[in-house]
């Protein structure tokens, strides 16, 4: 079945550092790929998405490119801020719009 | 537009008691989902509704969990009797309609259940 593997955290970075959170997936067909973010005490929010190979999703300075050849969707940001501290979930959607999530990666940004 | 509403925000119960959670999706969203998020894990789909019909409940522990979506709008998830391992955040999400590629979900804030 569909699955998502993402790097385990926590990831601790200094403010303005470069961020990469790795995500790979296993799925049949051509799934849509997502990154969700969960701030402390809140529900999940859609951060960005890509629906086909080579698409780049972007939002709030975050980017991720749908790489079918490596089945990856790594999240990147050039300069993180303290306000980016949250848990980030990689996810995919195959048939019937069912979304399968990874385990989440906790990011902590220190001033 | 109003988001996905869930209540209560927090609930503490003793094991073997029953509990119910309520969700009101975004107006007009045909598809509604209940997810269970155990601490330190990603959300796991429990049940998916399309209007008032069940599309997927393969991971719902049917001996103790039940869910309904009367009239295809709001939904209730019930646990009876609760076990310690049911302690989790229960997330409700909705999306405009099934089959639309790349739609993504809108999540509610969740209900944090603690079973003691």
């Amino acid at each position: 079945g569909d699955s998502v593997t993402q790097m385990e955290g926590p990831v601790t970075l200094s403010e303005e550092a470069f961020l990469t959170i790795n995500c790979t997936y296993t799925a049949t067909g051509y799934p849509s790929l997502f990154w969700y973010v969960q701030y402390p005490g809140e529900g999940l929010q859609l951060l960005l998405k890509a629906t086909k190979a080579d698409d780049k999703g972007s939002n709030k300075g975050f980017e991720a490119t749908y790489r079918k050849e490596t089945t990856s969707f790594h999240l990147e940001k050039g300069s993180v801020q303290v306000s980016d501290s949250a848990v980030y979930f990689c996810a995919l959607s195959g048939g019937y719009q069912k979304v399968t999530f990874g385990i989440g990666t906790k990011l902590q940004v220190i001033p | 537009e109003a988001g996905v509403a869930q209540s209560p925000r927090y609930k503490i119960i003793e094991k073997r008691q029953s509990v119910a959670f309520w969700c009101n999706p975004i107006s007009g969203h045909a598809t509604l989902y209940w997810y269970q998020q155990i601490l330190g894990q990603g959300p796991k789909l429990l049940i998916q509704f399309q209007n008032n019909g069940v599309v997927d409940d393969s991971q719902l522990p049917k001996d103790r969990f039940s869910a309904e979506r009367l009239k295809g709008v709001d939904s209730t998830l019930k646990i009876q009797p609760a076990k310690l391992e049911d302690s989790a955040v229960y997330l409700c999400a909705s999306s405009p309609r099934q089959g639309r590629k790349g739609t993504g979900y809108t999540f509610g804030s969740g209900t944090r259940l603690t079973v003691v």
Side-chain angles (χ1 to χ4, degrees), chain A residues 30-32 34 36 38 41-46 49 51-52 66 87 89 93 95-104, chain B residues 9 33 35 37 40-43 45 48 55-56 58-59 91 95 97-105 107-110:
Chain A
Y30 302 92
S32 297
F34 307 89
Y36 282 83
Q38 187 173 35
E42 299 184 14
L44 279 80
Q45 301 175 25
L46 179 63
K49 67 180 181 182
T51 59
K52 62 182 186 296
Y66 190 143
V87 181
F89 292 91
S93 173
Y96 293 103
Q97 295 302 304
K98 172 184 173 180
V99 178
T100 300
F101 290 87
I103 62 171
Chain B
R9 285 298 306 273
Y33 314 80
Y35 277 79
Q37 186 179 13
Q41 299 181 19
L45 178 68
Q48 175 183 347
V55 173
D56 184 351
S58 57
Q59 297 194 85
L91 295 164
S95 64
R97 59 185 172 91
Q98 180 178 307
R100 188 174 174 186
K101 186 176 172 65
T103 300
Y105 296 171
F107 279 89
S109 297

Side-chain angles (χ1 to χ4, degrees), chain A residues 26-102:
Chain A
T26 302
T28 55
Y30 302 92
S32 297
L33 302 175
F34 307 89
W35 277 99
Y36 282 83
V37 58
Q38 187 173 35
Y39 297 102
E42 299 184 14
L44 279 80
Q45 301 175 25
L46 179 63
L47 179 61
L48 53 84
K49 67 180 181 182
T51 59
K52 62 182 186 296
D54 300 325
D55 266 2
K56 177 184 284 188
S58 61
N59 187 25
K60 300 180 180 180
F62 291 89
E63 294 183 339
T65 301
Y66 190 143
R67 301 287 188 198
K68 190 166 177 60
E69 64 276 14
T70 55
T71 61
S72 65
F73 193 55
H74 304 321
L75 182 68
E76 297 181 338
K77 187 174 185 183
S79 176
V80 294
Q81 305 300 312
V82 172
S83 57
D84 294 327
S85 298
V87 181
Y88 292 82
F89 292 91
C90 185
L92 69 82
S93 173
Y96 293 103
Q97 295 302 304
K98 172 184 173 180
V99 178
T100 300
F101 290 87

